[in-house]
């Protein structure tokens, strides 16, 4: 079940979309987007805050605070209901199609009567969009792709939301008398970027008390299947949860079986057959006598198959079993290896917290170093200036030494324009210690143009990291059309790192991209792209993505010592920074 902060964030984002659809109030739209981001990243449950403390959240003024209070009190907001009534529901549904923004959605409704995704598919089939301004061949191709992505991901939720539910469920069931062990399994344990359903595994001598507690969870809306050792429920948010209860002596085999993936398990069963064994969720058995050979622990089962334990994030049948047989599994990067975060924002641009709070949270997390990389001036809505940037640098210098060992780096997130150029002249860029360059606009350019602009950015001697390289956002925007292998080759050639953006709505690069980039010899930065102190914790998702891409600590630049990192940041021809 979504916590109140997430519910309020979703409501305010919807309201911002409704404002955008009408084509009026761009400033108001951005204000609600900012407030949504601030509330979503606020560490305190907003349901516990009074009006005064609500207004203390950055970006939450009196009007927005009143709406939040109204929602928490009544479950609805009159102003939102009025906007919903003014915009056909089908038009709002069109916003779920990645690449299709509010203005285009309203144009489709007004000009062609398109009020659903099915209507949009039919209009594309009949080539009726060609009649409209702004819907050229590339735009139509992007919309078709967006519909395909939407339908493919239907019913799936982001990893962070799934983990919230999984961890809450496990914590509650672990308290049940007689429950000896409890953990989540399946694609959540493998840390896949989106989740279809959640598998929970419990060990108990008597399954019924655990099953009864599971069915009685507050988040349960419907019991779909009821059994002695398996129960399936659907939550109030429509998410399916499956609970399996085994004996404790089968725990290891059960965790392997229910963690998956299916293809990984098939590989293990093939090995078992060759060893005249049989592997199931209950254990590893002698195929002839039925005698149990291993079951209690995962390590025990893998060892009996002649393998080291394989981390869940690798269990996708992408060569991990063969690598294990050769004793060549990578030493995977972990959160403990991360020494600092190299991409973050403050309220100087589109962050929601002041510099002092972001730095304090980085120190609380035990980082050795922390980079502040507010947006550069070409992202005009952020109103950045050179004077503001230099004043922030002085503020960072004043904060130096106030948080123990934490070293502060002054950076910038640059905008890559259609030609591959970035903000500010070379002499200004040389003042910064770290420069992240990202695509924030012109997503519609063709493959050749997108590839040229990213390669050109890599070749810039001042660019250290390419941020969120494909620009994707789950449910909002597909990635740009780009020859990634050409970009990976350019990064390796120029000594430019690629970001693994840890925000759960991005996770960009994805695991398959990381594997390909790794083959080119690319270095990576696992960054939070935090816009609030609480967002620094998103790093766990980026680390999981890096693990799924087989990355070791040495391949991730923010696991390095500050001395080694600074040598890397002194890109040939790029100056030494401040």
């Amino acid at each position: 079940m979504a916590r109140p902060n997430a519910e309020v964030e979703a409501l305010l984002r919807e309201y911002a979309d409704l404002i955008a659809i009408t084509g009026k109030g761009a400033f108001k739209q951005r204000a609600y987007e900012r407030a949504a981001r601030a509330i979503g990243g606020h560490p305190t449950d907003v349901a516990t805050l009074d009006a005064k403390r609500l207004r203390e959240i950055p970006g939450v003024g009196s009007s927005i605070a009143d709406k939040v209070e109204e929602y928490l009190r009544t479950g609805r907001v009159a102003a939102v209901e009025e906007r919903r009534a003014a915009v056909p529901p089908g038009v709002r549904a069109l916003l779920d199609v990645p690449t299709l923004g509010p203005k285009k959605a309203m144009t489709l409704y007004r000009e062609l009567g398109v009020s659903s995704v099915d209507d949009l598919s039919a209009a594309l089939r009949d080539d009726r969009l060609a009649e409209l301004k702004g819907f050229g061949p590339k735009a139509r191709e992007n919309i078709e792709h967006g519909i395909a992505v939407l339908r493919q991901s239907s019913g799936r939720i982001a990893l962070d939301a799934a983990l919230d539910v999984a961890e809450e469920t496990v914590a509650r069931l672990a308290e049940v008398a007689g429950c000896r062990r409890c953990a989540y399994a399946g694609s959540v344990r493998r840390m896949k970027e989106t989740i279809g359903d959640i598998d929970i595994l419990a060990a108990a001598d008597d399954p019924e008390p655990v099953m009864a507690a599971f069915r009685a969870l507050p988040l349960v809306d419907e019991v779909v299947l009821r059994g002695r050792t398996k129960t399936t429920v659907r939550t109030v948010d429509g998410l399916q949860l499956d609970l399996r209860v085994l004996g404790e002596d089968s725990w290891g085999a059960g965790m392997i079986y229910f963690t998956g993936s299916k293809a990984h398990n098939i590989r293990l069963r093939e090995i078992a057959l060759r060893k005249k064994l049989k592997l199931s969720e209950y254990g590893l058995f002698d195929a002839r006598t039925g005698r149990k050979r291993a079951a209690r622990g995962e390590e025990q089962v893998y060892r009996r198959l002649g393998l080291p334990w394989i981390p869940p994030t690798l269990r996708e049948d992408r060569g991990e079993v063969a690598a294990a047989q050769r004793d060549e599994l990578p030493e995977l990067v972990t959160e403990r290896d991360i020494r600092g975060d190299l991409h973050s924002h403050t309220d100087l641009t589109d962050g929601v917290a002041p510099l002092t709070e972001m730095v304090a949270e980085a120190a609380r997390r035990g980082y050795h170093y922390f980079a502040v990389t507010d947006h550069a001036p070409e992202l005009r809505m952020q109103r950045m200036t050179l004077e503001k940037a230099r004043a922030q640098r002085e503020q960072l210098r004043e904060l130096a030494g106030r948080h123990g060992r934490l070293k502060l780096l002054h950076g910038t997130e640059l905008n890559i324009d259609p030609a591959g150029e970035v903000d500010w002249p070379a002499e200004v860029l040389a003042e910064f210690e770290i420069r992240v360059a990202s695509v924030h606009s012109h997503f519609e350019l063709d493959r050749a143009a997108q590839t040229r602009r990213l390669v050109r950015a890599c070749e810039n001697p001042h660019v250290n990291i390419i941020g969120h390289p494909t620009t994707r956002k789950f449910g909002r925007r597909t990635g740009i059309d780009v020859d990634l292998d050409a970009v990976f080759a350019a990064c390796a050639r120029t000594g430019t790192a690629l970001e693994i953006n840890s925000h759960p709505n991005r996770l960009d690069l994805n695991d398959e991209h990381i594997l390909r980039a790794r083959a080119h010899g690319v270095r990576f930065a696992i960054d939070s792209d935090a816009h609030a102190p609480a967002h620094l914790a998103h790093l766990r998702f980026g680390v999981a993505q890096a693990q799924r891409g087989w990355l070791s600590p040495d391949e991730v630049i923010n696991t390095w010592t500050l001395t080694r990192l600074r040598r890397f940041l002194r890109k040939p021809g790029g100056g030494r920074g401040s």
Side-chain angles (χ1 to χ4, degrees):
M1 184 183 298
R3 72 186 186 107
N5 294 48
E7 293 177 5
V8 172
E9 179 183 13
L11 181 79
L12 296 181
R13 287 192 184 280
E14 180 191 358
Y15 192 51
D17 283 342
L18 291 169
I19 293 168
I21 287 171
T22 61
K24 298 177 181 178
F27 177 80
K28 187 175 183 180
Q29 173 199 347
R30 287 197 295 273
Y32 276 90
E33 288 173 344
R34 176 180 167 84
R37 188 163 53 242
I39 288 173
H42 196 65
T44 305
D45 185 337
V46 291
T48 67
L49 303 181
D50 59 21
K52 180 177 181 296
R53 292 182 66 196
L54 275 175
R55 289 194 294 272
E56 290 173 356
I57 299 174
V60 178
S62 297
S63 177
I64 295 175
D66 289 345
K67 290 180 177 66
V68 173
E69 281 195 300
E70 182 183 354
Y71 175 75
L72 294 172
R73 187 177 64 254
T74 68
R76 61 188 297 277
V77 176
V80 177
E81 298 291 339
E82 289 172 11
R83 290 272 183 173
R84 284 173 176 164
V87 177
V91 176
R92 283 188 279 120
L94 291 177
L95 297 183
D96 291 334
V97 178
T99 75
L100 190 63
K103 292 180 180 178
K104 277 190 165 71
M106 200 61 181
T107 298
L108 289 168
Y109 175 74
R110 286 174 175 160
E111 301 295 329
L112 300 179
V114 170
S115 61
S116 70
V117 176
D118 287 341
D119 284 352
L120 180 56
S121 293
L124 283 165
R125 233 178 6 253
D126 299 339
D127 203 25
R128 286 186 283 137
L129 271 64
E131 308 164 10
L132 303 178
K133 183 179 178 181
F135 290 85
K138 184 62 177 178
R140 299 199 298 275
E141 180 184 332
N142 287 340
I143 292 170
E144 285 179 345
H145 180 62
I147 292 172
V149 169
L150 175 66
R151 287 179 169 159
Q152 184 180 11
S153 62
S154 180
R156 300 187 68 83
I157 66 170
L159 175 60
D160 63 324
L163 267 173
D164 282 346
V165 174
E167 289 171 347
E168 177 186 349
T169 301
V170 167
R172 287 177 176 267
L173 295 184
E175 295 173 350
V176 176
C179 181
R180 297 180 181 274
R181 303 185 73 167
C182 190
Y184 53 81
S187 54
V188 179
R189 187 174 180 226
R190 300 200 315 276
M191 297 293 278
K192 290 197 70 172
E193 58 196 28
T194 62
I195 307 298
D197 52 43
I198 296 174
D199 294 292
I200 306 293
L201 194 64
D205 295 333
D206 180 6
E208 184 47 39
V210 183
M211 291 296 184
F214 182 60
R215 295 190 296 267
L217 289 173
L219 55 74
V220 172
D221 182 58
E222 176 189 6
V223 177
V224 178
L225 184 149
R226 181 191 302 248
R228 175 170 168 75
T229 60
K230 178 184 176 182
T231 293
T232 298
V233 301
R234 199 172 306 282
T235 72
V236 292
D237 296 322
L239 182 62
Q240 179 176 307
L241 274 69
D242 295 317
L243 171 64
R244 319 279 184 134
V245 180
L246 298 170
E248 192 173 14
D249 61 348
S250 294
W251 179 259
M255 282 298 287
I256 290 173
Y257 183 89
F258 291 112
T259 294
S261 65
K262 182 179 179 180
H264 175 83
N265 288 350
I266 288 172
R267 295 288 182 194
L268 299 184
R269 288 199 293 273
E270 289 171 349
I271 294 173
L273 286 172
R274 289 197 294 271
K275 292 178 177 288
K276 296 182 170 50
L277 299 169
K278 181 180 179 182
L279 179 63
S280 73
E281 64 265 47
Y282 300 107
L284 185 64
F285 301 89
D286 187 296
R288 185 176 62 83
T289 66
R291 181 182 174 187
K292 185 181 287 187
R293 296 296 186 182
R296 183 172 286 270
E298 282 193 321
E299 293 86 351
Q300 180 191 40
V301 175
Y302 276 108
R303 187 167 58 249
R304 186 64 181 79
L305 290 171
L307 301 169
W309 179 79
I310 299 177
T313 45
L314 295 185
R315 299 181 196 176
E316 297 291 351
D317 190 32
R318 293 193 285 212
E320 72 278 2
V321 172
Q325 289 173 319
R326 299 190 304 268
D327 197 26
E328 293 178 0
L329 285 174
E331 175 197 348
L332 296 179
V333 64
T334 70
E335 274 196 88
R336 293 188 301 275
D337 296 315
I338 302 297
R339 294 172 181 260
D341 199 326
L342 302 180
H343 183 176
S344 69
H345 298 274
T346 74
D347 60 0
L348 185 62
T349 55
D350 63 343
V352 297
L355 177 66
T356 52
E357 291 183 15
M358 297 298 291
V359 169
E361 180 62 18
R364 191 194 67 77
R365 292 179 63 82
Y367 285 153
H368 293 231
Y369 46 81
F370 180 63
V372 176
T373 55
D374 273 311
H375 287 287
E378 284 305 308
L379 204 62
R380 290 182 176 83
M381 68 182 71
Q382 307 305 339
R383 300 187 177 91
M384 175 58 91
T385 64
L386 182 54
E387 291 71 27
K388 288 180 181 179
R390 285 173 171 162
Q392 184 182 67
R393 188 174 304 140
E394 287 304 313
Q395 190 180 2
L396 278 168
R397 285 171 175 156
E398 291 170 7
L399 288 171
R402 296 188 188 180
H403 294 281
R405 67 183 179 185
L406 180 66
K407 302 298 182 184
L408 301 176
L409 306 179
H410 191 228
T412 179
E413 184 179 12
L414 304 164
N415 308 282
I416 304 173
D417 75 12
E421 300 294 336
V422 297
D423 321 60
W424 282 323
E427 61 271 18
V428 172
L429 290 176
E431 296 179 15
F432 293 96
E433 292 179 276
I434 184 166
R435 288 129 317 201
V436 180
S438 310
V439 169
H440 293 109
S441 63
H442 298 89
F443 306 117
E444 75 288 346
L445 295 178
D446 64 30
R447 184 179 181 84
Q450 297 286 19
T451 304
R452 279 195 303 272
R453 76 193 291 204
L454 281 171
V455 169
R456 181 73 182 274
C458 293
E459 292 171 343
N460 187 313
H462 296 284
V463 170
N464 304 120
I465 300 170
I466 300 296
H468 44 75
T470 76
T471 78
R472 74 168 180 178
K473 288 185 177 180
F474 294 128
R476 305 286 291 187
R477 185 169 68 228
T478 56
I480 56 176
D481 185 10
V482 61
D483 181 350
L484 284 171
D485 285 297
V487 176
F488 299 158
C491 284
R493 172 170 51 83
T494 61
T496 308
L498 281 170
E499 180 177 77
I500 300 172
N501 189 292
S502 300
H503 194 290
N505 291 339
R506 283 190 186 271
L507 291 180
D508 180 12
L509 297 165
N510 71 26
D511 53 356
E512 293 182 357
H513 294 154
I514 295 167
L515 283 163
R516 283 164 53 192
R518 183 175 185 258
H520 284 271
V522 172
R523 300 295 193 180
F524 301 84
I526 305 174
D527 298 328
S528 68
D529 192 3
H531 287 65
H535 293 170
L536 292 176
H538 287 161
L539 206 79
R540 68 181 294 203
F541 304 116
V543 168
Q545 194 83 320
Q547 290 183 350
R548 290 177 58 79
W550 292 50
L551 292 188
S552 64
D554 194 58
E555 295 170 289
V556 178
I557 65 173
N558 49 321
T559 69
W560 299 350
T561 64
L562 183 57
T563 300
R564 184 182 178 190
L565 174 65
R566 279 180 162 149
R567 282 201 302 268
F568 177 85
L569 297 177
R570 290 196 289 269
K571 196 173 177 180
R576 291 182 175 271
S578 57

